[in-house]
Amino acid sequence: MAYEFTKEDLEEIEKIKAKFPEVMPATLPVLWVAQNRFGHVNPDVQRLVAETLDLPEAHVHGVAEFYTQYYKEEKGKFVLDVCTCLSCQLCGGYDILEHLEDKLGIKKGETTDDGMFSLNEVECLGACGYAPMLQITNDTYVNHLTKEKADQLVDSLRKGEVPEYEQIDMPLRNAK
Ligand code: FES
């Protein structure tokens, strides 16, 4: 498949480039533009980004590989990133991961046959105080997970509904 940016994408990329004195720092946000357009930044998309920014492919590849938030292959409609780092692990992160593997019929790193869900095991997502938790497609955090909450989440997403989860203030935000 040939990947091309739209006219709107190229306009956005020009605005991004204008924010920096040189083009290299634009790599991160332009990869983001690409992922929003194509759903992933596989090697062909990385090449497109490199050509668009007139940067070495190796540089763009290195940036894309470094961050798990960039998907290097096609993913499901919903990507469930289950944290199993220390706090989440101690609070049952692996139980949640295994439960989701059973419920979805896939192993971590895989995508369901219907293309609805990809399941990943990830490192700390910075919400350790609300463990165990997962993230939906680089966006919504689902905190204080239980197996029941994970089941409800999958059932809602299957119906195309992203549940609204409680917003949790950072502890210091309201400190006097
Ligand atoms: S250990 Fe899971 S969010 Fe930090």
PDB file of all heavy atoms in Angstrom, residues 115-145:
ATOM      1  N   GLY A 115     -10.202  -7.579  14.422  1.00  0.00           N
ATOM      2  CA  GLY A 115      -9.535  -6.283  14.330  1.00  0.00           C
ATOM      3  C   GLY A 115     -10.004  -5.280  15.372  1.00  0.00           C
ATOM      4  O   GLY A 115      -9.667  -4.099  15.284  1.00  0.00           O
ATOM      5  N   MET A 116     -10.731  -5.748  16.370  1.00  0.00           N
ATOM      6  CA  MET A 116     -11.254  -4.813  17.373  1.00  0.00           C
ATOM      7  C   MET A 116     -10.233  -4.464  18.457  1.00  0.00           C
ATOM      8  O   MET A 116     -10.161  -3.326  18.907  1.00  0.00           O
ATOM      9  CB  MET A 116     -12.494  -5.405  18.058  1.00  0.00           C
ATOM     10  CG  MET A 116     -13.767  -5.292  17.260  1.00  0.00           C
ATOM     11  SD  MET A 116     -14.337  -3.587  17.174  1.00  0.00           S
ATOM     12  CE  MET A 116     -15.133  -3.378  18.755  1.00  0.00           C
ATOM     13  N   PHE A 117      -9.470  -5.474  18.911  1.00  0.00           N
ATOM     14  CA  PHE A 117      -8.609  -5.253  20.079  1.00  0.00           C
ATOM     15  C   PHE A 117      -7.177  -5.718  19.836  1.00  0.00           C
ATOM     16  O   PHE A 117      -6.961  -6.799  19.290  1.00  0.00           O
ATOM     17  CB  PHE A 117      -9.141  -6.014  21.300  1.00  0.00           C
ATOM     18  CG  PHE A 117     -10.483  -5.559  21.768  1.00  0.00           C
ATOM     19  CD1 PHE A 117     -11.631  -6.241  21.394  1.00  0.00           C
ATOM     20  CD2 PHE A 117     -10.599  -4.439  22.581  1.00  0.00           C
ATOM     21  CE1 PHE A 117     -12.881  -5.818  21.821  1.00  0.00           C
ATOM     22  CE2 PHE A 117     -11.858  -4.013  23.009  1.00  0.00           C
ATOM     23  CZ  PHE A 117     -12.991  -4.703  22.632  1.00  0.00           C
ATOM     24  N   SER A 118      -6.240  -4.891  20.263  1.00  0.00           N
ATOM     25  CA  SER A 118      -4.853  -5.330  20.434  1.00  0.00           C
ATOM     26  C   SER A 118      -4.561  -5.249  21.924  1.00  0.00           C
ATOM     27  O   SER A 118      -5.080  -4.362  22.612  1.00  0.00           O
ATOM     28  CB  SER A 118      -3.887  -4.420  19.681  1.00  0.00           C
ATOM     29  OG  SER A 118      -4.097  -4.510  18.294  1.00  0.00           O
ATOM     30  N   LEU A 119      -3.745  -6.175  22.398  1.00  0.00           N
ATOM     31  CA  LEU A 119      -3.449  -6.235  23.831  1.00  0.00           C
ATOM     32  C   LEU A 119      -1.934  -6.157  24.025  1.00  0.00           C
ATOM     33  O   LEU A 119      -1.192  -6.909  23.393  1.00  0.00           O
ATOM     34  CB  LEU A 119      -3.984  -7.556  24.402  1.00  0.00           C
ATOM     35  CG  LEU A 119      -3.847  -7.785  25.900  1.00  0.00           C
ATOM     36  CD1 LEU A 119      -4.658  -6.765  26.691  1.00  0.00           C
ATOM     37  CD2 LEU A 119      -4.305  -9.209  26.254  1.00  0.00           C
ATOM     38  N   ASN A 120      -1.509  -5.233  24.870  1.00  0.00           N
ATOM     39  CA  ASN A 120      -0.075  -5.063  25.125  1.00  0.00           C
ATOM     40  C   ASN A 120       0.204  -5.076  26.617  1.00  0.00           C
ATOM     41  O   ASN A 120      -0.621  -4.640  27.414  1.00  0.00           O
ATOM     42  CB  ASN A 120       0.424  -3.714  24.586  1.00  0.00           C
ATOM     43  CG  ASN A 120       0.314  -3.627  23.088  1.00  0.00           C
ATOM     44  OD1 ASN A 120       0.537  -4.601  22.379  1.00  0.00           O
ATOM     45  ND2 ASN A 120      -0.012  -2.445  22.601  1.00  0.00           N
ATOM     46  N   GLU A 121       1.396  -5.539  26.959  1.00  0.00           N
ATOM     47  CA  GLU A 121       1.921  -5.357  28.311  1.00  0.00           C
ATOM     48  C   GLU A 121       2.887  -4.186  28.248  1.00  0.00           C
ATOM     49  O   GLU A 121       3.770  -4.167  27.392  1.00  0.00           O
ATOM     50  CB  GLU A 121       2.661  -6.626  28.755  1.00  0.00           C
ATOM     51  CG  GLU A 121       3.304  -6.484  30.125  1.00  0.00           C
ATOM     52  CD  GLU A 121       4.099  -7.723  30.528  1.00  0.00           C
ATOM     53  OE1 GLU A 121       4.289  -8.628  29.680  1.00  0.00           O
ATOM     54  OE2 GLU A 121       4.534  -7.770  31.688  1.00  0.00           O
ATOM     55  N   VAL A 122       2.693  -3.185  29.106  1.00  0.00           N
ATOM     56  CA  VAL A 122       3.540  -1.988  29.023  1.00  0.00           C
ATOM     57  C   VAL A 122       4.166  -1.662  30.380  1.00  0.00           C
ATOM     58  O   VAL A 122       3.733  -2.145  31.423  1.00  0.00           O
ATOM     59  CB  VAL A 122       2.739  -0.760  28.524  1.00  0.00           C
ATOM     60  CG1 VAL A 122       2.214  -0.986  27.118  1.00  0.00           C
ATOM     61  CG2 VAL A 122       1.618  -0.388  29.478  1.00  0.00           C
ATOM     62  N   GLU A 123       5.171  -0.810  30.284  1.00  0.00           N
ATOM     63  CA  GLU A 123       5.834  -0.311  31.487  1.00  0.00           C
ATOM     64  C   GLU A 123       4.994   0.806  32.103  1.00  0.00           C
ATOM     65  O   GLU A 123       3.978   1.221  31.541  1.00  0.00           O
ATOM     66  CB  GLU A 123       7.234   0.202  31.137  1.00  0.00           C
ATOM     67  CG  GLU A 123       8.170  -0.858  30.584  1.00  0.00           C
ATOM     68  CD  GLU A 123       8.509  -1.936  31.604  1.00  0.00           C
ATOM     69  OE1 GLU A 123       8.533  -1.620  32.810  1.00  0.00           O
ATOM     70  OE2 GLU A 123       8.722  -3.086  31.201  1.00  0.00           O
ATOM     71  N   CYS A 124       5.477   1.338  33.217  1.00  0.00           N
ATOM     72  CA  CYS A 124       4.736   2.318  34.011  1.00  0.00           C
ATOM     73  C   CYS A 124       4.169   3.457  33.153  1.00  0.00           C
ATOM     74  O   CYS A 124       4.876   4.058  32.354  1.00  0.00           O
ATOM     75  CB  CYS A 124       5.664   2.892  35.069  1.00  0.00           C
ATOM     76  SG  CYS A 124       4.850   4.117  36.113  1.00  0.00           S
ATOM     77  N   LEU A 125       2.897   3.741  33.361  1.00  0.00           N
ATOM     78  CA  LEU A 125       2.233   4.814  32.628  1.00  0.00           C
ATOM     79  C   LEU A 125       2.001   6.031  33.527  1.00  0.00           C
ATOM     80  O   LEU A 125       1.218   6.917  33.196  1.00  0.00           O
ATOM     81  CB  LEU A 125       0.903   4.308  32.057  1.00  0.00           C
ATOM     82  CG  LEU A 125       1.065   3.322  30.885  1.00  0.00           C
ATOM     83  CD1 LEU A 125      -0.239   2.589  30.598  1.00  0.00           C
ATOM     84  CD2 LEU A 125       1.538   4.046  29.635  1.00  0.00           C
ATOM     85  N   GLY A 126       2.663   6.035  34.675  1.00  0.00           N
ATOM     86  CA  GLY A 126       2.631   7.221  35.528  1.00  0.00           C
ATOM     87  C   GLY A 126       1.370   7.368  36.359  1.00  0.00           C
ATOM     88  O   GLY A 126       1.081   8.457  36.846  1.00  0.00           O
ATOM     89  N   ALA A 127       0.615   6.284  36.495  1.00  0.00           N
ATOM     90  CA  ALA A 127      -0.599   6.349  37.317  1.00  0.00           C
ATOM     91  C   ALA A 127      -0.502   5.305  38.436  1.00  0.00           C
ATOM     92  O   ALA A 127      -1.488   4.658  38.789  1.00  0.00           O
ATOM     93  CB  ALA A 127      -1.840   6.104  36.455  1.00  0.00           C
ATOM     94  N   CYS A 128       0.686   5.195  39.008  1.00  0.00           N
ATOM     95  CA  CYS A 128       0.965   4.122  39.969  1.00  0.00           C
ATOM     96  C   CYS A 128       0.021   4.166  41.172  1.00  0.00           C
ATOM     97  O   CYS A 128      -0.289   3.136  41.760  1.00  0.00           O
ATOM     98  CB  CYS A 128       2.404   4.217  40.464  1.00  0.00           C
ATOM     99  SG  CYS A 128       3.576   4.625  39.186  1.00  0.00           S
ATOM    100  N   GLY A 129      -0.415   5.361  41.553  1.00  0.00           N
ATOM    101  CA  GLY A 129      -1.296   5.488  42.714  1.00  0.00           C
ATOM    102  C   GLY A 129      -2.684   4.949  42.465  1.00  0.00           C
ATOM    103  O   GLY A 129      -3.484   4.841  43.399  1.00  0.00           O
ATOM    104  N   TYR A 130      -2.987   4.625  41.227  1.00  0.00           N
ATOM    105  CA  TYR A 130      -4.332   4.154  40.876  1.00  0.00           C
ATOM    106  C   TYR A 130      -4.281   2.745  40.310  1.00  0.00           C
ATOM    107  O   TYR A 130      -5.130   2.335  39.528  1.00  0.00           O
ATOM    108  CB  TYR A 130      -4.974   5.135  39.885  1.00  0.00           C
ATOM    109  CG  TYR A 130      -4.805   6.568  40.337  1.00  0.00           C
ATOM    110  CD1 TYR A 130      -4.016   7.458  39.629  1.00  0.00           C
ATOM    111  CD2 TYR A 130      -5.391   6.995  41.530  1.00  0.00           C
ATOM    112  CE1 TYR A 130      -3.825   8.759  40.078  1.00  0.00           C
ATOM    113  CE2 TYR A 130      -5.204   8.285  41.986  1.00  0.00           C
ATOM    114  CZ  TYR A 130      -4.420   9.159  41.260  1.00  0.00           C
ATOM    115  OH  TYR A 130      -4.226  10.435  41.720  1.00  0.00           O
ATOM    116  N   ALA A 131      -3.230   2.010  40.691  1.00  0.00           N
ATOM    117  CA  ALA A 131      -2.995   0.661  40.179  1.00  0.00           C
ATOM    118  C   ALA A 131      -4.071  -0.317  40.664  1.00  0.00           C
ATOM    119  O   ALA A 131      -4.638  -0.102  41.737  1.00  0.00           O
ATOM    120  CB  ALA A 131      -1.630   0.187  40.653  1.00  0.00           C
ATOM    121  N   PRO A 132      -4.303  -1.379  39.886  1.00  0.00           N
ATOM    122  CA  PRO A 132      -3.753  -1.631  38.559  1.00  0.00           C
ATOM    123  C   PRO A 132      -4.540  -0.866  37.501  1.00  0.00           C
ATOM    124  O   PRO A 132      -5.712  -0.580  37.691  1.00  0.00           O
ATOM    125  CB  PRO A 132      -3.927  -3.141  38.389  1.00  0.00           C
ATOM    126  CG  PRO A 132      -5.125  -3.488  39.202  1.00  0.00           C
ATOM    127  CD  PRO A 132      -5.142  -2.518  40.357  1.00  0.00           C
ATOM    128  N   MET A 133      -3.871  -0.563  36.403  1.00  0.00           N
ATOM    129  CA  MET A 133      -4.527   0.280  35.406  1.00  0.00           C
ATOM    130  C   MET A 133      -4.157  -0.154  33.999  1.00  0.00           C
ATOM    131  O   MET A 133      -3.206  -0.892  33.786  1.00  0.00           O
ATOM    132  CB  MET A 133      -4.166   1.751  35.633  1.00  0.00           C
ATOM    133  CG  MET A 133      -2.692   2.114  35.583  1.00  0.00           C
ATOM    134  SD  MET A 133      -2.019   2.320  33.944  1.00  0.00           S
ATOM    135  CE  MET A 133      -2.915   3.769  33.373  1.00  0.00           C
ATOM    136  N   LEU A 134      -4.949   0.340  33.047  1.00  0.00           N
ATOM    137  CA  LEU A 134      -4.593   0.168  31.637  1.00  0.00           C
ATOM    138  C   LEU A 134      -4.935   1.455  30.897  1.00  0.00           C
ATOM    139  O   LEU A 134      -5.660   2.313  31.412  1.00  0.00           O
ATOM    140  CB  LEU A 134      -5.288  -1.050  31.003  1.00  0.00           C
ATOM    141  CG  LEU A 134      -6.809  -1.110  30.840  1.00  0.00           C
ATOM    142  CD1 LEU A 134      -7.351  -0.199  29.752  1.00  0.00           C
ATOM    143  CD2 LEU A 134      -7.212  -2.545  30.486  1.00  0.00           C
ATOM    144  N   GLN A 135      -4.422   1.550  29.692  1.00  0.00           N
ATOM    145  CA  GLN A 135      -4.662   2.709  28.843  1.00  0.00           C
ATOM    146  C   GLN A 135      -5.326   2.231  27.554  1.00  0.00           C
ATOM    147  O   GLN A 135      -4.954   1.186  27.004  1.00  0.00           O
ATOM    148  CB  GLN A 135      -3.317   3.366  28.524  1.00  0.00           C
ATOM    149  CG  GLN A 135      -3.368   4.454  27.483  1.00  0.00           C
ATOM    150  CD  GLN A 135      -1.980   5.023  27.205  1.00  0.00           C
ATOM    151  OE1 GLN A 135      -1.710   6.175  27.481  1.00  0.00           O
ATOM    152  NE2 GLN A 135      -1.102   4.213  26.654  1.00  0.00           N
ATOM    153  N   ILE A 136      -6.303   3.011  27.082  1.00  0.00           N
ATOM    154  CA  ILE A 136      -6.965   2.672  25.815  1.00  0.00           C
ATOM    155  C   ILE A 136      -6.380   3.555  24.717  1.00  0.00           C
ATOM    156  O   ILE A 136      -6.520   4.789  24.759  1.00  0.00           O
ATOM    157  CB  ILE A 136      -8.491   2.915  25.886  1.00  0.00           C
ATOM    158  CG1 ILE A 136      -9.102   2.239  27.108  1.00  0.00           C
ATOM    159  CG2 ILE A 136      -9.158   2.434  24.600  1.00  0.00           C
ATOM    160  CD1 ILE A 136     -10.553   2.641  27.359  1.00  0.00           C
ATOM    161  N   THR A 137      -5.726   2.958  23.765  1.00  0.00           N
ATOM    162  CA  THR A 137      -5.246   3.619  22.547  1.00  0.00           C
ATOM    163  C   THR A 137      -4.607   4.989  22.819  1.00  0.00           C
ATOM    164  O   THR A 137      -5.051   6.008  22.294  1.00  0.00           O
ATOM    165  CB  THR A 137      -6.380   3.757  21.504  1.00  0.00           C
ATOM    166  OG1 THR A 137      -7.153   2.558  21.496  1.00  0.00           O
ATOM    167  CG2 THR A 137      -5.815   3.956  20.103  1.00  0.00           C
ATOM    168  N   ASN A 138      -3.580   4.958  23.658  1.00  0.00           N
ATOM    169  CA  ASN A 138      -2.808   6.186  23.927  1.00  0.00           C
ATOM    170  C   ASN A 138      -3.661   7.320  24.474  1.00  0.00           C
ATOM    171  O   ASN A 138      -3.329   8.497  24.288  1.00  0.00           O
ATOM    172  CB  ASN A 138      -2.120   6.692  22.641  1.00  0.00           C
ATOM    173  CG  ASN A 138      -0.892   5.893  22.298  1.00  0.00           C
ATOM    174  OD1 ASN A 138      -0.224   5.365  23.170  1.00  0.00           O
ATOM    175  ND2 ASN A 138      -0.590   5.807  21.007  1.00  0.00           N
ATOM    176  N   ASP A 139      -4.773   6.996  25.144  1.00  0.00           N
ATOM    177  CA  ASP A 139      -5.659   8.086  25.555  1.00  0.00           C
ATOM    178  C   ASP A 139      -6.222   7.812  26.948  1.00  0.00           C
ATOM    179  O   ASP A 139      -5.577   8.100  27.948  1.00  0.00           O
ATOM    180  CB  ASP A 139      -6.760   8.253  24.493  1.00  0.00           C
ATOM    181  CG  ASP A 139      -7.596   9.487  24.722  1.00  0.00           C
ATOM    182  OD1 ASP A 139      -7.254  10.288  25.598  1.00  0.00           O
ATOM    183  OD2 ASP A 139      -8.616   9.655  24.032  1.00  0.00           O
ATOM    184  N   THR A 140      -7.413   7.258  27.010  1.00  0.00           N
ATOM    185  CA  THR A 140      -8.131   7.121  28.282  1.00  0.00           C
ATOM    186  C   THR A 140      -7.435   6.135  29.222  1.00  0.00           C
ATOM    187  O   THR A 140      -7.078   5.027  28.822  1.00  0.00           O
ATOM    188  CB  THR A 140      -9.565   6.626  28.011  1.00  0.00           C
ATOM    189  OG1 THR A 140     -10.174   7.518  27.093  1.00  0.00           O
ATOM    190  CG2 THR A 140     -10.377   6.567  29.291  1.00  0.00           C
ATOM    191  N   TYR A 141      -7.272   6.543  30.473  1.00  0.00           N
ATOM    192  CA  TYR A 141      -6.766   5.643  31.517  1.00  0.00           C
ATOM    193  C   TYR A 141      -7.955   5.013  32.237  1.00  0.00           C
ATOM    194  O   TYR A 141      -8.914   5.700  32.574  1.00  0.00           O
ATOM    195  CB  TYR A 141      -5.954   6.423  32.552  1.00  0.00           C
ATOM    196  CG  TYR A 141      -4.509   6.678  32.189  1.00  0.00           C
ATOM    197  CD1 TYR A 141      -4.052   6.582  30.884  1.00  0.00           C
ATOM    198  CD2 TYR A 141      -3.584   7.026  33.178  1.00  0.00           C
ATOM    199  CE1 TYR A 141      -2.730   6.829  30.565  1.00  0.00           C
ATOM    200  CE2 TYR A 141      -2.259   7.280  32.870  1.00  0.00           C
ATOM    201  CZ  TYR A 141      -1.835   7.178  31.560  1.00  0.00           C
ATOM    202  OH  TYR A 141      -0.525   7.427  31.254  1.00  0.00           O
ATOM    203  N   VAL A 142      -7.850   3.711  32.478  1.00  0.00           N
ATOM    204  CA  VAL A 142      -8.841   3.027  33.297  1.00  0.00           C
ATOM    205  C   VAL A 142      -8.112   2.573  34.553  1.00  0.00           C
ATOM    206  O   VAL A 142      -7.230   1.708  34.505  1.00  0.00           O
ATOM    207  CB  VAL A 142      -9.460   1.818  32.551  1.00  0.00           C
ATOM    208  CG1 VAL A 142     -10.593   1.228  33.382  1.00  0.00           C
ATOM    209  CG2 VAL A 142      -9.959   2.240  31.177  1.00  0.00           C
ATOM    210  N   ASN A 143      -8.488   3.182  35.672  1.00  0.00           N
ATOM    211  CA  ASN A 143      -7.758   2.968  36.921  1.00  0.00           C
ATOM    212  C   ASN A 143      -8.479   1.982  37.836  1.00  0.00           C
ATOM    213  O   ASN A 143      -9.627   1.623  37.594  1.00  0.00           O
ATOM    214  CB  ASN A 143      -7.608   4.309  37.656  1.00  0.00           C
ATOM    215  CG  ASN A 143      -6.854   5.323  36.831  1.00  0.00           C
ATOM    216  OD1 ASN A 143      -5.793   5.020  36.294  1.00  0.00           O
ATOM    217  ND2 ASN A 143      -7.403   6.525  36.705  1.00  0.00           N
ATOM    218  N   HIS A 144      -7.770   1.585  38.906  1.00  0.00           N
ATOM    219  CA  HIS A 144      -8.342   0.681  39.918  1.00  0.00           C
ATOM    220  C   HIS A 144      -9.059  -0.486  39.239  1.00  0.00           C
ATOM    221  O   HIS A 144     -10.223  -0.775  39.530  1.00  0.00           O
ATOM    222  CB  HIS A 144      -9.321   1.442  40.830  1.00  0.00           C
ATOM    223  CG  HIS A 144      -8.694   2.572  41.591  1.00  0.00           C
ATOM    224  ND1 HIS A 144      -7.576   2.425  42.378  1.00  0.00           N
ATOM    225  CD2 HIS A 144      -9.026   3.879  41.664  1.00  0.00           C
ATOM    226  CE1 HIS A 144      -7.244   3.592  42.914  1.00  0.00           C
ATOM    227  NE2 HIS A 144      -8.097   4.493  42.497  1.00  0.00           N
ATOM    228  N   LEU A 145      -8.367  -1.150  38.341  1.00  0.00           N
ATOM    229  CA  LEU A 145      -8.997  -2.235  37.571  1.00  0.00           C
ATOM    230  C   LEU A 145      -9.331  -3.434  38.436  1.00  0.00           C
ATOM    231  O   LEU A 145      -8.593  -3.778  39.361  1.00  0.00           O
ATOM    232  CB  LEU A 145      -8.038  -2.703  36.473  1.00  0.00           C
ATOM    233  CG  LEU A 145      -8.104  -1.992  35.136  1.00  0.00           C
ATOM    234  CD1 LEU A 145      -6.957  -2.473  34.257  1.00  0.00           C
ATOM    235  CD2 LEU A 145      -9.435  -2.234  34.458  1.00  0.00           C
TER     236      LEU A 145
END
